[in-house]
Amino acid sequence: MIKKYICLLLGVSLATTAYPQSKTQSTDRVELVNPIIGTDSKPSLSNGNTYPAIALPWGMNFWMPQTGKMGDGWAYTYAADKIRGFKQTHQPSPWMNDYGQFSIMPVTGKLRVDQDERASWYSHKAEVAKPYYYSVYLADHDVTTEIAPTERAASFRFTFPKTDSSFVVIDAFDKGSYIKVLPKERKIIGYTTRNSGGVPKNFKNYFVIYFDKPFSSVQTWRDKRIVNDSLELTANHAGAAIGFKTAKGEQVQARIASSFISFEQAELNLKEIGTDSFDAVKQKAKAAWNKELSRIQVEGGSLAQQQTFYSCLYRSLLFPRKFFEFDANKKVVHYSPYNGQVLPGYMFTDTGFWDTFRSLFPFLNLMYPSLNAQMQEGLANAYKEGGWLPEWASPGLRSVMVGSNSASVIADAYLKGGRGYDINTLYEAVLKNSENEGPMDAVGRRGVQYYNKLGYVPYDVKINENAARTLEYAYDDFAIYQLAKALKRPQAEIDRFAKRCQNYRNLFDKQSGWMRGKNEDGSFQSPFNPFKWGDAFTEGNSWHYTWSVFHDVQGLINLMGGQQKFVAKLDSVFTTPPVYDESYYRSVIHEIREMQIANMGQYAHGNQPIQHMIYLYNYAGEPWKAQYWLREVMNRLYLPTPDGYCGDEDNGQTSAWYVFTAMGFYPVCPATDQYVIGAPLFKKVTATLENGKKVVINAPANSDSNRYINALRLNGKSYDKNWLSHQGLLQGATIDVDMSATPNKQRGTQAVAFPFSISAKQD
């Protein structure tokens, strides 16, 4: 066993950290995606906390094989050996769990409807997982199941053995469900209400299923018990089972669609399949993925690096999901998860801005501005329908995480050119957030009265994670300041947010050199331990949150005593052992464990607060250190394997970090025009923007050892700055990068090269 694991580890190392150049460049980029990456996870240790989402980009419905029990957020885990069903899912995260969920499962022999009894052993060796297609052999039933998705529907194909006892079990789940079988139409309808919160009282997910083979038997069931005298029932836990007589290798197909509006709307959604065969649905789904994935073409690098890149790009194109439908007149409508009404217009959901404001939404602004404009309209609708901006929506308001980072998402979209939606309503919503607490902790601003009066949320007023709130509110106030200027708001209003965005200074303790909780009377919290997770911070400690001054890194440098001390503190993040104090949580939470085992000191890439930190070397005159550590993170913490992430993937944020970083730049401060330069991973990257322009990054000497930028040319001219302009990229750009094995310690070292800080004068 020891020898076996040594060989396995050696193989993984060679595949991921060495840099053999791929000899062929496939245009079929979806085949480089591995949806299984990140699924080898559990509550105590996240290697992604993902599941194989069989879906179209931003699709309303996803499908997945279900290995976990009904209601388990870890619905598919790589280590599991049985499948209980194939589930329609809207789950953004195991921590948020699911809604709009039901499952379908083929069974042979004795009819079994209970999820444990019908479960079948399976092997990853007999499993194919692609974004556009899933197939698996269910050993206990001798059935192969295949799935191909559309945005709101899916095509299933079951290959049965020879038997007069082939069944398909439909499970509408518990917590209140309905089922009806219409044998003459070979049709089943039903609804599921099971959810994890964030829905109005009238919430239902309506589904319709059509089979292409007549039923030889029909049953409904409730709570594990077969009901023989009814084809329709409403129960806590309702389901149906339809039977067939099948020949060896006979294929039975099902077309499935669902709606949050009605059964009639579910029928309309089924038109996405129409008369298409299973293979046609599959090919259309494949083409849809290749269209989006081909927007960014990478060349060079190892096969493993290309697989990682496109798998991360796939994850960056899933959330926020479309939560709207098209009515009989092909008008955009949505069921509102905020007030329960069916209303016109766009709606998107299943994203947490605490995570995704950092790079996922900036990625959409760069590559998909029209789609993000629809998302902004959806945010305006959410505010009008619910009275508040969602900070975590799934599908409606959820009380998770801190900050009011919707301000960043809204400001960044508008400042980067987003138009065609009601920005004035969104600005009204942002202003409301800046002055009010909401109906739950994570809506509005908890502690806002203290923050606006004192310039910080105090440590000793029974408001948890107060320092994190203060730092995030201060950045969000910068985003509002930027947006207020663009909208030509009154000068007094602009000045108010210009002042508030400096509130981060109130938490910096010059004596210790850390951001630190502060009491209402102005004294710092005591005792203080920068290694203490939680308490004043959110899923991190002062080692992580001290850097959360996205908009004024120069101001932070000044507080720390200058560039030399700032860089030394950055360096210490990697050289300090991964010690921690978990006493606030009373146990070691998975984020702590993921930092501890990564062997990168106090750097906790598995959670979001520190993910921008490496780029800060660019603000202090030592950009080569960013180039070194960014490559280390990409090499060591991202792999195209089931344990391929180093923490929660979080709705595309950790993936978008990789996509940006592999391209060679990153949006450290959304709501500005700048991307901070790192160093490209590949020999060539070609990004085709929505306006048809191309951004081409050429780095022909790139290799595992040549990770440093010796020189850079932008559109043929020498370029010494440590940042790129968004507006400049939109015009199309060719970036030629001379890569070297040794750092160039002259390039990017002067203040004129540094990225934006509100405290620094900019050219």
Side-chain angles (χ1 to χ4, degrees), residues 429-667:
V430 165
L431 282 184
K432 181 178 180 179
N433 266 17
S434 73
E435 301 293 337
N436 295 278
E437 291 192 341
M440 54 186 73
D441 270 9
V443 177
R445 288 187 176 182
R446 179 96 191 273
V448 68
Q449 290 78 17
Y450 293 108
Y451 174 82
N452 289 348
K453 178 182 177 181
L454 301 174
Y456 60 94
V457 181
Y459 178 80
D460 59 346
V461 295
K462 298 183 178 179
I463 297 177
N464 66 326
E465 302 172 359
N466 38 81
R469 295 179 194 275
T470 298
L471 293 169
E472 294 194 26
Y473 295 167
Y475 162 69
D476 296 330
D477 283 338
F478 166 78
I480 300 172
Y481 160 74
Q482 293 281 82
L483 182 57
K485 287 193 299 179
L487 295 176
K488 296 180 169 55
R489 298 292 298 182
Q491 190 61 44
E493 191 171 286
I494 295 171
D495 292 344
R496 181 166 80 245
F497 291 106
K499 180 180 179 181
R500 286 181 183 171
C501 80
Q502 293 294 308
N503 282 342
Y504 73 89
R505 297 174 179 272
N506 296 325
L507 295 192
F508 187 78
D509 174 20
K510 289 190 176 182
Q511 184 174 354
S512 68
W514 298 105
M515 292 292 178
R516 182 172 174 181
K518 181 178 280 189
N519 295 320
E520 187 176 7
D521 65 5
S523 62
F524 282 108
Q525 69 171 101
S526 183
F528 170 68
N529 178 2
F531 297 101
K532 186 176 184 180
W533 282 63
D535 198 16
F537 300 100
T538 301
E539 295 180 1
N541 59 28
S542 193
W543 279 91
H544 312 135
Y545 261 96
T546 290
W547 313 106
S548 292
V549 188
F550 312 95
H551 58 295
D552 198 10
V553 179
Q554 185 59 52
L556 182 61
I557 290 171
N558 295 341
L559 288 174
M560 288 187 175
Q563 292 180 20
Q564 187 174 358
K565 290 183 178 180
F566 182 81
V567 168
K569 203 167 190 81
L570 287 172
D571 292 342
S572 70
V573 171
F574 299 105
T575 58
T576 302
V579 299
Y580 56 84
D581 175 354
E582 81 284 11
S583 59
Y584 175 78
Y585 296 111
R586 300 182 182 177
S587 65
V588 177
I589 62 173
H590 75 93
E591 291 90 350
I592 296 175
R593 188 68 72 208
E594 289 141 18
M595 178 198 74
Q596 180 195 24
I597 66 177
N599 192 27
M600 295 190 78
Q602 289 291 319
Y603 185 72
H605 191 81
N607 211 18
Q608 280 66 42
I610 205 170
Q611 286 182 352
H612 69 293
M613 180 222 103
I614 295 174
Y615 284 93
L616 302 189
Y617 284 110
N618 285 280
Y619 296 74
E622 298 192 19
W624 62 89
K625 289 185 177 178
Q627 296 157 25
Y628 173 82
W629 283 112
L630 291 170
R631 184 66 65 89
E632 286 296 293
V633 172
M634 286 190 287
N635 280 350
R636 292 159 58 179
L637 302 186
Y638 289 81
L639 301 171
T641 55
D643 63 346
Y645 289 104
C646 57
D648 286 352
E649 194 280 326
D650 281 330
N651 308 111
Q653 164 57 31
T654 300
S655 290
W657 184 96
Y658 186 94
V659 171
F660 266 125
T661 300
M663 291 171 67
F665 53 91
Y666 184 80

Side-chain angles (χ1 to χ4, degrees), residues 345-420:
Y346 290 105
M347 182 63 65
F348 291 78
T349 192
D350 289 328
T351 188
F353 295 151
W354 184 85
D355 305 289
T356 54
F357 86 85
R358 304 166 194 269
S359 66
L360 188 278
F361 276 92
F363 176 74
L364 296 176
N365 285 325
L366 177 63
M367 298 301 300
Y368 295 95
S370 295
L371 178 70
N372 203 19
Q374 294 177 2
M375 294 175 182
Q376 299 302 310
E377 180 185 323
L379 269 179
N381 288 334
Y383 172 67
K384 289 184 283 189
E385 294 161 21
W388 296 91
L389 288 167
E391 301 299 329
W392 230 118
S394 181
L397 299 176
R398 301 293 290 272
S399 192
V400 181
M401 309 312 291
V402 303
S404 55
N405 298 306
S406 53
S408 175
V409 171
I410 291 165
D412 195 51
Y414 188 80
L415 293 166
K416 287 178 177 168
R419 297 296 186 270

Side-chain angles (χ1 to χ4, degrees), residues 665-679:
F665 53 91
Y666 184 80
V668 168
C669 186
T672 69
D673 182 63
Q674 295 183 0
Y675 303 96
V676 180
I677 294 173

